[in-house]
Amino acid sequence: MRTFFVLLGATALLCSCAHEDAAQPVKERSWEQGLDASLSAQIAPVGPIETDQTAYDFIRRREREHALGSKATAAELDEVINASSQVLASALSLPLFKAGVYLGQPRLIERGCNAGRRVTHSALRASGNVDAVMQACNALTAGKQSSNDGCGEGQQKLRDAYALLAAEKSQDAGRAAADGVRMLRDRCQKIAAPLRTPVDPSTKGFIIVWALHANDAPPVTFLAGEQSPNTAEAINDGFLRGVQAVRPMAHNP
């Protein structure tokens, strides 16, 4: 008899729990956050989201103030990128990278790379040319396996120059870049001078142009054949392309 009451009580408890679970409203699942809740914070929402507008306004204002390449702006861009949707991140990646090249500011290039890493949506990676940015980010740091000939040595020397520039050692960077270009000119016939770019050859930006060009980065990342960048306008254009890219997904149930 005692066993019967124990079983009866357990059954009642299970029924009660089931009733409570059924009574609770079912929360709508955001599949954009993935299946693992512990990793969801690392996956950006596809978007767009409301804060994207504030982020764009900030960048446009800083560009008008000629302060886009400042340390203060870079610090605030970290927050902007971490809070952005993938639509905005895809629109930020290439324009910030180009601005960094034009202004000779590795800190902006780094933010462009970080924005690109935030984009996992395949259509947005395509609309923002994110893969080109990622290729250029890799070219500045790792590059291809360096050979022991003049080409490999020159390529490595230019990557070293970029690293020195990122460490704010401009004079050392200039010397390393000059050595790298000299090696390529004298000992590597397959690498000619970069295509025409709006970056002034006398500036730090041209060191970056050479580093990208010599290490096979896509020409679009160092403004080959382009005019001086209008970063805010480029971000807005990229955002519009991104919205169009995710629109078919938004209509799916």
Side-chain angles (χ1 to χ4, degrees):
M1 183 66 69
R2 181 179 178 184
T3 302
F4 172 77
F5 283 112
V6 170
L7 290 174
L8 184 63
T11 301
L13 181 61
L14 288 172
C15 292
S16 175
C17 291
H19 178 73
E20 289 177 3
D21 288 344
Q24 292 178 354
V26 177
K27 294 182 179 179
E28 185 176 352
R29 179 64 183 269
S30 175
W31 294 109
E32 295 170 5
Q33 302 302 311
L35 296 170
D36 190 336
S38 66
L39 298 177
S40 62
Q42 302 174 27
I43 303 174
V46 172
I49 55 180
E50 286 298 323
T51 54
D52 289 348
Q53 179 68 60
T54 304
Y56 171 73
D57 291 342
F58 162 74
I59 294 171
R60 181 174 58 179
R61 184 174 67 254
R62 298 303 278 168
E63 185 177 34
R64 287 176 176 173
E65 295 169 350
H66 303 288
L68 193 58
S70 70
K71 290 182 179 180
T73 299
E76 292 184 79
L77 278 174
D78 286 334
E79 297 183 17
V80 165
I81 292 167
N82 289 337
S84 71
S85 71
Q86 291 196 39
V87 172
L88 179 60
S90 67
L92 291 175
S93 187
L94 184 57
L96 288 181
F97 193 101
K98 286 183 175 181
V101 174
Y102 184 76
L103 298 173
Q105 293 292 353
R107 64 174 71 99
L108 270 180
I109 290 175
E110 180 184 343
R111 271 66 186 182
C113 296
N114 289 343
R117 294 185 188 101
R118 192 169 173 81
V119 184
T120 59
H121 192 290
S122 59
L124 289 174
R125 291 185 70 86
S127 70
N129 210 355
V130 172
D131 289 339
V133 176
M134 294 294 96
Q135 184 179 339
C137 297
N138 185 65
L140 289 173
T141 53
K144 293 184 177 180
Q145 184 68 32
S146 295
S147 58
N148 292 324
D149 59 11
C151 296
E153 292 175 5
Q155 290 168 325
Q156 181 59 57
K157 201 71 174 178
L158 284 162
R159 290 197 298 273
D160 293 343
Y162 177 77
L164 289 166
L165 198 61
E168 300 186 354
K169 298 178 180 179
S170 300
Q171 291 186 346
D172 293 339
R175 285 191 288 269
D179 289 343
V181 172
R182 191 178 303 111
M183 289 179 185
L184 295 177
R185 182 193 62 198
D186 297 342
R187 301 167 56 192
C188 181
Q189 295 182 353
K190 70 178 182 180
I191 299 180
L195 298 172
R196 182 184 63 81
T197 172
V199 181
D200 189 331
S202 65
T203 64
K204 294 183 292 184
F206 207 66
I207 296 175
I208 304 174
V209 168
W210 257 108
L212 289 166
H213 165 67
N215 286 283
D216 299 318
V220 68
T221 59
F222 52 92
L223 296 89
E226 300 183 22
Q227 303 296 319
S228 303
N230 183 327
T231 303
E233 181 179 322
I235 291 171
N236 186 57
D237 290 344
F239 189 85
L240 291 173
R241 290 194 304 272
V243 170
Q244 293 297 321
V246 300
R247 181 167 289 176
M249 173 184 169
H251 290 292
N252 290 335

